[in-house]
Amino acid sequence: MESSILVTGGAGYIGSHAVRALLRAGKRVVVLDNLCRGHRPAVPQGATLLDLDLIETDAIAAALREHNVDRVLHFAALTYVGESVEDPLRYYWNNTAGAVSLLQAMKQAGVSRLVFSSTAATYGDAVASPIVEVAEQNPINPYGRSKLFVEQILADVAKSDPDFSYVALRYFNVAGCASDGSIGEDHKPETHLVPIALQVALGQREAMTIFGEDYPTPDGTCIRDYVHVEDLIDAHLLALDRLDTPGGAVFNVGIGRGYSVQEVLDAVRRVTGHSLPAKVGARRAGDPAELWASGDKLRSELGWSPRYDSLDAIVETAWRWFQAHPTGYAE
Ligand code: UFG
């Protein structure tokens, strides 16, 4: 039987874009998603959807065997920093214990190749930008720790098993939607800057609140590194090939340039033609002033070359999706 790739979290924002790219590349794809935050209609046609929880180790091992899976892309996770502070156990259970369960299932089924979705939140806020992969990791919230623990577990597993190989990708700020408008972003609740700004442009919210204008940055607002979701998925496809090299590797995924909140709002104003009223509010707890990547390692070692290098181009793809799906996926 032809081999397939397991995509956990394939009904989510980023996972669904991965499924689509893999199907387009002619791969067989099995999606594992418990649909607690994902959307059934987000799973592109042609993929097999398994409604399983990460913690169901034996069922996952059986599915890995049944579908002849040889590689795993592990996206499934909870990703709200604030929620992780309020309910840390839920994050350690889903993100950390869930990954351990998945690794157990892979071991049972003899699957030894994994790409893991890690995060810039593992660096914390003490590190100077641009952030290189060898920078100290000192996460400041349970979300970041739940992911850092998995990175450490992966390193231990690779040390203990010479057949095991993995790539951990530390995402910076992922934004934008499929360039053809077919799939997109639908978070409930929505907390991210670009979608919230587009909801203002759609008239669903009255105004933006800028979380703090007194940061030590040129315009006083926070600086982040925005990477288009399709460029992020390209990094995953390159990482899948890198799994033929034994051991583990870690890469930042960011374009290597920071934009302030004000610059993002200006891009949304240009793209939508909406005045986008914005008031300045208090700082949001846990927001570092500046967080942007050195993308050098990913470019030089894996040959990654992001197609979207302007904020306007990224926002345009998201705007197309939000205009066509103002309330997200119809379920
Ligand atoms: N922001 C506002 N107003 C809003 C929403 C956001 O001013 O209504 C600001 C934030 O304070 C921040 C910037 O816009 O300065 C970006 O915020 P997002 O919530 O879009 O993204 P974050 O940088 O907070 O989070 C991202 C990922 C997280 C990850 C984190 C790592 O989405 O999963 O980077 O620090 F944990």
Side-chain angles (χ1 to χ4, degrees):
M1 196 218 278
E2 205 191 320
S3 63
S4 33
I5 297 175
L6 179 76
V7 180
T8 76
Y13 165 45
I14 300 171
S16 60
H17 284 82
V19 174
R20 182 169 168 277
L22 290 168
L23 291 172
R24 288 194 165 181
K27 311 284 185 204
R28 290 185 60 209
V29 182
V30 179
V31 170
L32 183 152
D33 203 302
N34 67 5
L35 299 170
C36 84
R37 297 261 155 95
H39 309 277
R40 204 177 279 274
V43 179
Q45 291 245 319
T48 305
L49 173 62
L50 306 175
D51 183 354
L52 282 177
D53 196 278
L54 283 173
I55 224 70
E56 295 176 78
T57 314
D58 293 342
I60 296 173
L64 292 172
R65 287 195 199 94
E66 184 191 337
H67 295 279
N68 195 25
V69 170
D70 64 352
R71 288 168 294 173
V72 177
L73 291 179
H74 179 35
F75 295 98
L78 299 172
T79 60
Y80 294 120
V81 169
E83 185 182 69
S84 81
V85 175
E86 282 154 27
D87 193 355
L89 291 179
R90 189 165 174 213
Y91 274 68
Y92 294 125
W93 182 254
N94 272 278
N95 295 1
T96 313
V100 173
S101 168
L102 175 67
L103 288 163
Q104 287 276 20
M106 289 171 62
K107 191 172 178 186
Q108 281 179 31
V111 180
S112 57
R113 290 168 184 207
L114 177 84
V115 179
F116 172 61
S117 303
S118 189
T119 169
T122 61
Y123 290 114
D125 61 3
V127 178
S129 294
I131 298 176
V132 289
E133 287 81 353
V134 292
E136 192 190 340
Q137 286 174 286
N138 196 6
I140 54 170
N141 51 60
Y143 167 63
R145 271 189 290 277
S146 74
K147 290 279 187 176
L148 177 59
F149 291 151
V150 179
E151 284 196 18
Q152 293 170 336
I153 290 165
L154 289 171
D156 285 341
V157 173
K159 265 184 231 148
S160 74
D161 178 356
D163 291 332
F164 184 77
S165 63
Y166 74 93
V167 173
L169 297 175
R170 295 183 188 143
Y171 304 174
F172 282 69
N173 288 60
V174 187
C177 299
S179 41
D180 66 1
S182 60
I183 50 174
E185 193 168 2
D186 178 2
H187 295 119
K188 292 188 179 76
E190 187 53 77
T191 61
H192 295 103
L193 180 62
V194 172
I196 285 181
L198 293 176
Q199 287 172 350
V200 174
L202 282 171
Q204 295 176 354
R205 295 175 190 251
E206 266 180 30
M208 290 300 302
T209 304
I210 296 171
F211 298 146
E213 211 178 30
D214 56 351
Y215 284 96
T217 60
D219 66 20
T221 64
C222 289
I223 293 178
R224 295 288 181 272
D225 186 331
Y226 295 85
V227 58
H228 191 268
V229 64
E230 289 178 332
D231 286 328
L232 172 71
I233 298 309
D234 279 351
H236 285 75
L237 301 183
L238 296 166
L240 279 172
D241 292 338
R242 173 68 169 66
L243 295 175
D244 293 334
T245 311
V250 176
F251 299 94
N252 287 333
V253 192
I255 65 161
R257 177 170 173 186
Y259 291 96
S260 72
V261 172
Q262 287 288 16
E263 287 175 307
V264 173
L265 298 186
D266 284 341
V268 174
R269 289 186 183 106
R270 282 191 297 271
V271 169
T272 63
H274 193 282
S275 62
L276 220 68
K279 52 182 193 282
V280 178
R283 288 184 178 197
R284 187 171 69 177
D287 272 346
E290 218 174 305
L291 201 61
W292 50 282
S294 161
D296 291 351
K297 188 179 175 199
L298 189 59
R299 287 171 205 255
S300 65
E301 289 189 24
L302 297 191
W304 184 64
S305 162
R307 283 167 290 172
Y308 291 85
D309 60 359
S310 93
L311 266 182
D312 292 44
I314 293 176
V315 170
E316 267 164 30
T317 64
W319 181 226
R320 215 171 296 144
W321 160 262
F322 277 91
Q323 282 177 297
H325 305 85
T327 55
Y329 287 102
E331 283 175 283

